[in-house]
Amino acid sequence: MFTLQSLPYDYNDLEPYITKTTLEIHHDKHHAGYVNKLNELLAPYEEFADLELEQLLKQIDRLPDPIRQAVFNNAGQVYNHNVYWESLAPKSKSVISDRFEKIISHSFSSLEEFKKVFSNAGVAQFGSGWVWLSVNLEGLLEVEKTSNADTPLIRERKPIMVMDVWEHAYYLDYQNRRPEYISSFFEIVNWPLIEGKYNAAVS
Ligand code: MN
């Protein structure tokens, strides 16, 4: 049984950038819905009951044909949302260290340039999807966008930060103005946690 990961902050902690109503619906309805559907799909298949979420995604080829795509979609969405909630923090905690800013600048020439690359990927993503910052096999940082439930985890990347660009992530707060949501996202990035994930990924 997979369980819904709790939000690491209160529903109103990300306001005004992301409202309480959006977080309630996004976490308690959308994210919870993917967890429930995943459990429902796997219920008849005891042999997969003990797999961790990341292992399930990496070993998706083991799943029987009739449920493989649906399991991937729902497991991917559960995993992607777990990383998304951890990528965010209240504004007061969204402070990047000098050390991590240098690391980002090493790959993207500056923090501002990184934000531009990441934001442009979010604007350019056609339809539903995600924008990722991951550590690749060479230990380098990469920005990548994925569609629907896809995740860089299955391509041997170590994802350390993600932005949800499905409409349900921003439509109540920003309607069709995805670029405004993206600039708000950068007000509430959980830099300390992302730096910790980076350290773990390269160690
Ligand atoms: Mn979402």
Side-chain angles (χ1 to χ4, degrees):
M1 281 284 278
F2 292 96
T3 52
L4 177 63
Q5 187 172 297
S6 304
L7 278 184
Y9 29 74
D10 286 333
Y11 290 101
N12 56 3
D13 276 353
L14 305 183
E15 292 194 338
Y17 307 103
I18 296 176
T19 60
K20 180 171 183 266
T21 310
T22 290
L23 274 195
E24 283 172 345
I25 295 174
H26 198 173
H27 180 267
D28 300 0
K29 306 288 182 197
H30 290 277
H31 192 184
Y34 296 123
V35 174
N36 294 340
K37 185 69 192 171
L38 179 60
N39 285 327
E40 195 181 299
L41 285 162
L42 290 175
Y45 300 91
E46 272 178 26
E47 61 270 40
F48 302 111
D50 294 334
L51 283 181
E52 298 284 334
L53 187 59
E54 296 190 14
Q55 292 311 313
L56 179 65
L57 283 163
K58 288 177 177 174
Q59 299 176 26
I60 199 72
D61 290 342
R62 287 177 54 201
L63 274 290
D65 268 346
I67 60 162
R68 187 183 306 123
Q69 188 63 49
V71 167
F72 181 78
N73 291 344
N74 286 281
Q77 286 296 80
V78 173
Y79 172 80
N80 296 353
H81 283 93
N82 288 346
V83 182
Y84 177 61
W85 305 130
E86 291 172 356
S87 297
L88 298 170
K91 170 83 175 163
S92 60
K93 293 181 181 163
S94 179
V95 180
I96 191 166
S97 70
D98 290 344
R99 173 184 175 272
F100 196 51
E101 183 167 347
K102 279 195 190 106
I103 289 165
I104 296 241
S105 301
H106 182 73
S107 292
F108 299 96
S109 83
S110 68
L111 180 60
E112 285 316 304
E113 188 59 28
F114 160 68
K115 289 181 182 176
K116 205 184 288 177
V117 169
F118 193 92
S119 300
N120 288 345
V123 173
Q125 170 58 30
F126 185 77
S128 297
W130 302 83
V131 183
W132 301 85
L133 178 64
S134 305
V135 178
N136 68 18
L137 281 174
E138 287 80 48
L140 301 173
L141 288 169
E142 278 185 6
V143 168
E144 172 187 10
K145 54 187 164 68
T146 62
S147 290
N148 300 318
D150 191 18
T151 178
L153 182 71
I154 59 164
R155 287 181 290 279
E156 306 204 53
R157 302 293 189 272
K158 292 175 180 166
I160 61 171
M161 163 176 166
V162 73
M163 177 171 66
D164 190 343
V165 291
W166 283 57
E167 279 188 348
H168 67 227
Y170 61 86
Y171 211 84
L172 286 174
D173 298 337
Y174 300 95
Q175 293 80 51
N176 62 329
R177 305 187 303 278
R178 190 190 281 182
E180 273 183 46
Y181 158 70
I182 292 172
S183 60
S184 287
F185 174 88
F186 276 108
E187 299 292 328
I188 47 174
V189 169
N190 191 346
W191 291 116
L193 193 85
I194 292 160
E195 180 174 359
K197 287 187 181 197
Y198 171 82
N199 293 341
V202 297
S203 70

